[in-house]
Amino acid sequence: MNIPLLLPEDQPILLLDRTGDLTQQDVLCHFALDELLCRLTGEGGPAICHIWRHPRAFVMGVRDSRLPQAAQGEALLRSLGYDTAVRHSGGAAVPLDSGVVNLSLILPFASKGPAPDFHQDFEIMVELIREALHSTGQRVDTGEIAGAFCPGTFDLSIRGLKFCGIAQRRQRKAFIIQAFIIAQGSGSERARLVRSFYDIAAETADPKQYPIVETTSTASLEELTNIGSGAAAVQQFITAVREVIRNGQSDKDLTGVASRFVMPTTEEIRMMADQMRQRYNNK
């Protein structure tokens, strides 16, 4: 597969792999970086594949933050050592840790013609992950998994168990497709954590306002494939993603692409994270 052929105007992708840095304590800084990079891409900067991890966080959707007892549920998570935040892209609550790999594809809209349908946006990420897992011999299915946390039409699953969710954020000239991939550890334990949040936060809520999470709905790549055990599963998946991106653009000169990339400063990222916290009523 040639990933760049799926992009507007056949643009190559610049890799930004920050998975080795687990020192960031504010999970919103990752989303703030995506937001700033998306602006850069929309202003003529390169398309970017941003790969990152976070040591321990619980990221809620906007609807989750408005549940009747959301503050109490959040307090429980913080007592367990989780950083908490509300993200700006779609979806519901997701726990993040070092065994979860996050992919952000930051892409420009085509300069001519209408913006692509959001389903096409999601398909770019789906194909990237499928290709990265091709060597495992496992079929990756698309479709909402009943009982999974952060359910969506573009859930990715193997043998009926969800391991990945995908969300999207659009700006005026560029957009971000974000995916979380559970690579290592227990999927059921993560589902149990999310369910404990909803047991508190949604105690008096209409059941239609939040997902009913079942612990048997979710698994990791470590549990579902031969990708590796422990930390090796994480590294193998990251390596596979990098190889898909690189192999798909081996015939392109990336010098010009790299010259158009400007990494936002730490202060710029912090300021954007603060703005997002205020905008989405993060505590």
Side-chain angles (χ1 to χ4, degrees), residues 75-95:
L76 168 67
L77 296 166
R78 287 187 174 276
S79 73
L80 297 174
Y82 286 88
D83 181 26
T84 61
V86 178
R87 69 169 180 266
H88 61 323
S89 53
V94 173

Side-chain angles (χ1 to χ4, degrees), residues 121-241:
D121 301 346
F122 281 104
E123 287 292 350
I124 297 172
M125 181 67 81
V126 170
E127 290 305 315
L128 171 58
I129 295 171
R130 276 186 174 147
E131 186 67 12
L133 294 174
H134 178 75
S135 64
T136 68
Q138 297 292 334
R139 188 181 74 182
V140 175
D141 295 316
T142 305
E144 184 170 330
I145 298 298
F149 59 80
C150 195
T153 304
F154 284 88
D155 287 349
L156 296 187
S157 61
I158 294 174
R159 301 193 301 276
L161 295 173
K162 178 175 177 174
F163 69 89
C164 170
I166 304 175
Q168 181 191 96
R169 162 76 172 169
R170 288 192 172 199
Q171 294 184 4
R172 189 165 62 90
K173 296 182 178 181
F175 59 102
I176 313 167
I177 314 162
Q178 296 172 330
F180 70 87
I181 298 92
I182 306 171
Q184 175 191 358
S186 170
S188 62
E189 287 183 6
R190 293 181 175 93
R192 190 172 293 110
L193 175 70
V194 178
R195 180 166 180 165
S196 69
F197 165 75
Y198 285 122
D199 284 346
I200 296 173
E203 183 178 359
T204 60
D206 183 336
K208 296 180 181 179
Q209 299 303 311
Y210 65 96
I212 307 300
V213 178
E214 301 294 340
T215 59
T216 56
S217 62
T218 308
S220 69
L221 293 177
E222 179 183 11
E223 295 171 311
L224 293 170
T225 74
N226 61 357
I227 200 168
S229 299
V234 174
Q235 293 306 318
Q236 287 289 343
F237 178 72
I238 293 169
T239 298
V241 170

Side-chain angles (χ1 to χ4, degrees), residues 14 45-46 254-262:
L14 188 66
L254 299 180
T255 304
V257 175
S259 69
R260 291 186 282 117
F261 176 75
V262 180

